[in-house]
C-alpha cells in the first residue's frame, strides 16, 4: 500500500511503484472512475485502449478478416474508395 500527501493546491505525487504499475510517465493523463463508494485511479490511455478493444470485439469476424493480409487488403480498398470519391469531381 502506498500513501501520498495532498498539497494545499490539491496536488499529489504519485509514488514511483504506482507509476510503474500503471505505466505512467511525465505528461500522461490519469482518469478517476467512480465505483460505488470507491474511486479508481487509472492510466487514461490504457482505459481508452481497453474500451476501444471492447467496442471492436467481434468486428474482425464480422468483416471476414482472418489474418494480417486481410487487414492490409481492407485498408487498400478503403483508401482506393476515398481516392475515387475525392477525384470523382475532377473528371
Amino acid at each position: 500500500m502506498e500513501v501520498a500527501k495532498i498539497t494545499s493546491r490539491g496536488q499529489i505525487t504519485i509514488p514511483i511503484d504506482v507509476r510503474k504499475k500503471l505505466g505512467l510517465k511525465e505528461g500522461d493523463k490519469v482518469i478517476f472512475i467512480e465505483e460505488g463508494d470507491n474511486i479508481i485511479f487509472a492510466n487514461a490511455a490504457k482505459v481508452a485502449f481497453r474500451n476501444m478493444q471492447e467496442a471492436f470485439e467481434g468486428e474482425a469476424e464480422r468483416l471476414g478478416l482472418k489474418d494480417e493480409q486481410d487487414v492490409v487488403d481492407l485498408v487498400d480498398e478503403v483508401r482506393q474508395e476515398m481516392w475515387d470519391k475525392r477525384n470523382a469531381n475532377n473528371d
Side-chain angles (χ1 to χ4, degrees), residues 28-41:
D28 284 349
K29 294 183 179 186
V30 296
I31 188 169
F32 299 92
I33 305 165
E34 187 173 350
E35 288 189 2
D37 292 337
N38 298 312
I39 302 293
I40 307 298
F41 170 81

Side-chain angles (χ1 to χ4, degrees), residues 34-54:
E34 187 173 350
E35 288 189 2
D37 292 337
N38 298 312
I39 302 293
I40 307 298
F41 170 81
N43 181 326
K46 286 185 177 182
V47 170
F49 186 73
R50 185 173 53 241
N51 289 343
M52 185 180 67
Q53 282 180 314
E54 290 171 4

